[in-house]
């Protein structure tokens, strides 16, 4: 039997994607490429694509419930149901007290609930094969975006690749004069930075995986190069700092948490990575200099640590708009702003922490507390896995999710809202499948389908 399975084609040994896996990856592809359609096709496609991915996300939740996967995690499902009831009841109270707009209330329910349920439902119902293929898909997307992002960075702000077809003006965000902040396939810079925040720990997991063929090794090298290159040319200070920290945690984590017999290999990985970083620093020297100039210019008008505090905790002016009821869930989202005034954009608060408190009032405080509890539990469990099993990728994903929960514009921006659901799904699935093999052998894969 071993000889037979060893000769089995890899395509036969791999389990097919389940319905959850197909929906999960389908939503991811729409999130990544809907901005490209908006930028270079037509903005008229925006609403249909958003409705399509939201419908697919809702169907995934329904499928997980109907298949009994949510009942498998009945305690966690009960907590989410209780939270959903709280949000609905509180939002209805806000509409009455504040004479709010019911349409904005429904928008708020979407931002506060849909993709949290999506992430939980996906993690509870995806198979190990789904998880593996989703990790690979995210990494391949990062690799494929690298040439596009580098070309955007090298092109002038007015180039077709950097402007939107339906834009009423030619204003493009820049790092310094004449150098754009890249957007990738997204229609705005924050979308691409958030995408990097999601995919970088996944790509580093692929880099750390055991490679069985030259193709696997090539994918790992390309993934590491894409992480560094796309961060450097992103023009976003947060992306540069985040990627540097994640690479450092990955390299030190491999060295500290590896088995004694693997210490030598971990040290070799560290040395090779440092060598690759040195080479990439030479290749992208101009991008590094431009980013350094951006840091210097920002330091002249703001304190770095004050900016970090605002990024995670909210602006000091938030206290001026706080009330026990909140202004209404959904009120500060860009979609609600567009529905109400015809202009998309954040008001009152730019940082996520401030928006949560202003929108939700006491409910916003409860939401923040729940985030901290989820972060603490997830980081603890992933750290235990790293110590006991010498596996660090769940820890990487939970660090990434913690940053996302605290700082991403999840209740305000459509793309960040969806990507937070994916970050939650990947982090929870990592606790279900901590021994996941990104590149399993034919024999291992064939055993898992019997």
């Amino acid at each position: 039997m071993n000889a037979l399975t060893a000769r089995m084609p890899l395509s036969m040994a791999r389990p097919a994607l389940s319905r959850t896996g197909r929906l999960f990856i389908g939503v991811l592809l729409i999130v990544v490429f809907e901005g490209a359609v908006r930028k270079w096709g037509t903005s008229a496609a925006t609403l249909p694509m958003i409705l399509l991915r939201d419908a697919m996300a809702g169907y995934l939740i329904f499928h997980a419930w109907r298949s009994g996967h949510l009942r498998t995690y009945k305690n966690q499902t009960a907590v989410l149901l209780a939270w959903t009831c709280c949000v609905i009841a509180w939002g209805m109270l806000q509409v009455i007290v504040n004479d709010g707009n019911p349409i904005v209330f429904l928008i708020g329910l979407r931002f506060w609930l849909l993709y949290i349920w999506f992430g939980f439902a996906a993690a509870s119902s995806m198979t190990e094969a789904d998880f593996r293929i989703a990790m690979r898909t995210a990494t391949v997307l990062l690799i494929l975006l690298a040439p596009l992002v580098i070309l955007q960075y090298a092109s002038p702000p007015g180039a077709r690749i950097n402007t939107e077809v339906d834009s009423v003006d030619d204003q493009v965000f820049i790092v310094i004069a004449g150098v754009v902040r890249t957007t990738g396939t997204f229609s705005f810079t924050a979308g691409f930075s958030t995408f990097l925040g999601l995919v970088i720990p996944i790509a580093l997991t692929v880099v750390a995986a055991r490679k069985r063929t030259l193709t696997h090794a090539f994918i790992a090298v390309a993934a590491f190069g894409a992480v560094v290159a796309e961060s450097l040319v992103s023009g976003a200070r947060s992306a540069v700092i985040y990627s540097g920290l994640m690479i450092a945690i990955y390299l030190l984590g491999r060295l500290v948490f590896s088995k004694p017999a693997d210490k030598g290999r971990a040290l070799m990985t560290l040395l090779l990575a440092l060598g690759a970083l040195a080479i990439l620093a030479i290749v992208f020297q101009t991008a590094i200099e431009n980013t350094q100039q951006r840091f210097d210019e920002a330091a002249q008008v703001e304190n770095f640590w004050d900016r970090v505090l605002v990024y995670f905790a909210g602006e000091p002016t938030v206290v001026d708009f706080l009330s026990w009821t909140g202004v209404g869930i959904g009120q500060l989202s860009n979609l609600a702003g567009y529905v109400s005034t015809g202009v998309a954009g954040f008001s009152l608060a730019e940082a996520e922490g401030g928006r949560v408190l202003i929108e939700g009032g006491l409910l916003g405080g409860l939401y923040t507390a729940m985030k901290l509890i989820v972060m603490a539990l997830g980081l603890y469990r992933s750290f235990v896995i790293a110590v006991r099993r010498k596996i660090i990728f769940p820890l990487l994903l939970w660090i990434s999710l913690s940053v996302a929960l605290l700082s991403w514009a999840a209740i305000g921006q459509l793309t960040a809202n969806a990507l937070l659901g994916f970050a939650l799904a990947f982090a929870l699935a990592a606790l279900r499948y901590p021994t996941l093999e990104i590149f399993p052998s034919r024999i291992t894969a064939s055993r898992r389908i019997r």
Side-chain angles (χ1 to χ4, degrees), residues 28 63 212 217 307 319 341 357 380:
L28 176 62
H63 172 69
R212 303 182 186 278
R307 178 63 176 175
V319 296
T341 65
L357 294 176
Y380 172 75

PDB file of all heavy atoms in Angstrom, residues 28 63 212 217 307 319 341 357 380:
ATOM      1  N   LEU A  28     -12.457  35.846  -0.633  1.00  0.00           N
ATOM      2  CA  LEU A  28     -11.122  36.455  -0.588  1.00  0.00           C
ATOM      3  C   LEU A  28     -10.739  37.040  -1.941  1.00  0.00           C
ATOM      4  O   LEU A  28     -10.221  38.166  -2.019  1.00  0.00           O
ATOM      5  CB  LEU A  28     -10.096  35.410  -0.148  1.00  0.00           C
ATOM      6  CG  LEU A  28      -8.631  35.863  -0.136  1.00  0.00           C
ATOM      7  CD1 LEU A  28      -8.415  37.001   0.855  1.00  0.00           C
ATOM      8  CD2 LEU A  28      -7.703  34.688   0.198  1.00  0.00           C
ATOM      9  N   HIS A  63     -24.387  27.795   5.860  1.00  0.00           N
ATOM     10  CA  HIS A  63     -23.916  26.437   5.588  1.00  0.00           C
ATOM     11  C   HIS A  63     -23.260  25.835   6.833  1.00  0.00           C
ATOM     12  O   HIS A  63     -23.485  24.656   7.146  1.00  0.00           O
ATOM     13  CB  HIS A  63     -22.925  26.452   4.422  1.00  0.00           C
ATOM     14  CG  HIS A  63     -22.248  25.147   4.187  1.00  0.00           C
ATOM     15  ND1 HIS A  63     -22.906  24.030   3.711  1.00  0.00           N
ATOM     16  CD2 HIS A  63     -20.944  24.761   4.376  1.00  0.00           C
ATOM     17  CE1 HIS A  63     -22.054  23.028   3.608  1.00  0.00           C
ATOM     18  NE2 HIS A  63     -20.862  23.434   3.999  1.00  0.00           N
ATOM     19  N   ARG A 212       9.483  20.128  -0.003  1.00  0.00           N
ATOM     20  CA  ARG A 212       9.744  18.777  -0.507  1.00  0.00           C
ATOM     21  C   ARG A 212      10.235  18.762  -1.952  1.00  0.00           C
ATOM     22  O   ARG A 212      10.734  17.753  -2.425  1.00  0.00           O
ATOM     23  CB  ARG A 212       8.472  17.932  -0.377  1.00  0.00           C
ATOM     24  CG  ARG A 212       7.955  17.864   1.062  1.00  0.00           C
ATOM     25  CD  ARG A 212       6.721  16.991   1.180  1.00  0.00           C
ATOM     26  NE  ARG A 212       6.170  17.051   2.519  1.00  0.00           N
ATOM     27  CZ  ARG A 212       6.603  16.339   3.553  1.00  0.00           C
ATOM     28  NH1 ARG A 212       7.624  15.506   3.385  1.00  0.00           N
ATOM     29  NH2 ARG A 212       6.040  16.445   4.741  1.00  0.00           N
ATOM     30  N   ALA A 217      10.470  25.237  -2.687  1.00  0.00           N
ATOM     31  CA  ALA A 217      11.529  26.156  -2.275  1.00  0.00           C
ATOM     32  C   ALA A 217      11.414  27.486  -3.014  1.00  0.00           C
ATOM     33  O   ALA A 217      11.601  28.568  -2.421  1.00  0.00           O
ATOM     34  CB  ALA A 217      12.896  25.523  -2.527  1.00  0.00           C
ATOM     35  N   ARG A 307       1.562  59.195  17.770  1.00  0.00           N
ATOM     36  CA  ARG A 307       0.876  58.625  16.611  1.00  0.00           C
ATOM     37  C   ARG A 307       0.538  57.165  16.853  1.00  0.00           C
ATOM     38  O   ARG A 307      -0.564  56.702  16.509  1.00  0.00           O
ATOM     39  CB  ARG A 307       1.766  58.762  15.365  1.00  0.00           C
ATOM     40  CG  ARG A 307       1.170  58.164  14.103  1.00  0.00           C
ATOM     41  CD  ARG A 307      -0.107  58.854  13.706  1.00  0.00           C
ATOM     42  NE  ARG A 307      -0.628  58.332  12.455  1.00  0.00           N
ATOM     43  CZ  ARG A 307      -1.783  58.685  11.925  1.00  0.00           C
ATOM     44  NH1 ARG A 307      -2.529  59.592  12.531  1.00  0.00           N
ATOM     45  NH2 ARG A 307      -2.199  58.163  10.799  1.00  0.00           N
ATOM     46  N   VAL A 319     -12.912  61.898  23.531  1.00  0.00           N
ATOM     47  CA  VAL A 319     -13.673  62.104  24.782  1.00  0.00           C
ATOM     48  C   VAL A 319     -14.722  63.206  24.633  1.00  0.00           C
ATOM     49  O   VAL A 319     -15.703  63.223  25.379  1.00  0.00           O
ATOM     50  CB  VAL A 319     -12.714  62.437  25.946  1.00  0.00           C
ATOM     51  CG1 VAL A 319     -11.795  61.262  26.244  1.00  0.00           C
ATOM     52  CG2 VAL A 319     -11.899  63.692  25.646  1.00  0.00           C
ATOM     53  N   THR A 341     -24.630  61.594   3.276  1.00  0.00           N
ATOM     54  CA  THR A 341     -24.182  62.876   2.734  1.00  0.00           C
ATOM     55  C   THR A 341     -23.702  62.808   1.294  1.00  0.00           C
ATOM     56  O   THR A 341     -23.456  63.841   0.678  1.00  0.00           O
ATOM     57  CB  THR A 341     -23.032  63.439   3.596  1.00  0.00           C
ATOM     58  OG1 THR A 341     -21.883  62.579   3.493  1.00  0.00           O
ATOM     59  CG2 THR A 341     -23.444  63.536   5.063  1.00  0.00           C
ATOM     60  N   LEU A 357     -15.936  53.430  20.383  1.00  0.00           N
ATOM     61  CA  LEU A 357     -16.498  54.068  21.579  1.00  0.00           C
ATOM     62  C   LEU A 357     -17.532  55.123  21.224  1.00  0.00           C
ATOM     63  O   LEU A 357     -18.565  55.247  21.892  1.00  0.00           O
ATOM     64  CB  LEU A 357     -15.376  54.683  22.416  1.00  0.00           C
ATOM     65  CG  LEU A 357     -14.380  53.691  23.037  1.00  0.00           C
ATOM     66  CD1 LEU A 357     -13.264  54.431  23.745  1.00  0.00           C
ATOM     67  CD2 LEU A 357     -15.085  52.749  24.005  1.00  0.00           C
ATOM     68  N   TYR A 380      -2.388  33.347  24.383  1.00  0.00           N
ATOM     69  CA  TYR A 380      -1.948  32.359  25.380  1.00  0.00           C
ATOM     70  C   TYR A 380      -1.915  30.959  24.769  1.00  0.00           C
ATOM     71  O   TYR A 380      -0.914  30.244  24.909  1.00  0.00           O
ATOM     72  CB  TYR A 380      -2.882  32.392  26.587  1.00  0.00           C
ATOM     73  CG  TYR A 380      -2.618  31.271  27.572  1.00  0.00           C
ATOM     74  CD1 TYR A 380      -1.507  31.305  28.417  1.00  0.00           C
ATOM     75  CD2 TYR A 380      -3.469  30.167  27.625  1.00  0.00           C
ATOM     76  CE1 TYR A 380      -1.252  30.263  29.299  1.00  0.00           C
ATOM     77  CE2 TYR A 380      -3.223  29.124  28.508  1.00  0.00           C
ATOM     78  CZ  TYR A 380      -2.114  29.175  29.344  1.00  0.00           C
ATOM     79  OH  TYR A 380      -1.865  28.138  30.201  1.00  0.00           O
TER      80      TYR A 380
END
